[in-house]
Amino acid sequence: MSALGNTNRLKVLDALSHGGLYAGDLQEALEGIGASTLSSHLDILEESGLLTQERRRGRYLITVPGRLAVNMAYEISKRSERA
């Protein structure tokens, strides 16, 4: 759960929920996040099992637990907005 406690990490997972991306493509999609910061977020998400990196091509892909985490975060956000 601590991996989901950062808005930028949720943005990374959201971007990956539309398909695999290379680190450079992620950085372009997520303006305002520096390369070293993005790398740290990717490491945390990978260590937590929410994303994985292809060995051959190097693309980052969201895992099933990562997809569930994004859906859960958005559902919580919607419910808190209604309250």
Side-chain angles (χ1 to χ4, degrees):
M1 289 301 286
S2 65
L4 299 175
N6 182 284
T7 304
N8 288 329
R9 288 194 284 270
L10 288 173
K11 289 178 183 178
V12 168
L13 290 175
D14 184 50
L16 291 173
S17 69
H18 305 290
L21 294 169
Y22 296 99
D25 296 330
L26 270 170
Q27 190 171 3
E28 286 179 27
L30 303 171
E31 297 176 11
I33 300 176
S36 63
T37 302
L38 178 60
S39 178
S40 295
H41 289 313
L42 291 171
D43 288 343
I44 291 167
L45 290 168
E46 191 169 14
E47 288 172 11
S48 67
L50 300 176
L51 65 80
T52 188
Q53 186 177 22
E54 291 178 318
R55 292 195 189 274
R56 293 182 84 187
R57 296 180 64 191
R59 285 187 314 163
Y60 286 92
L61 304 166
I62 193 168
T63 61
V64 171
R67 191 169 302 279
L68 292 171
V70 167
N71 291 338
M72 180 183 65
Y74 282 115
E75 188 61 34
I76 291 169
S77 175
K78 280 191 248 177
R79 289 180 186 210
S80 67
E81 288 174 1
R82 285 188 236 151

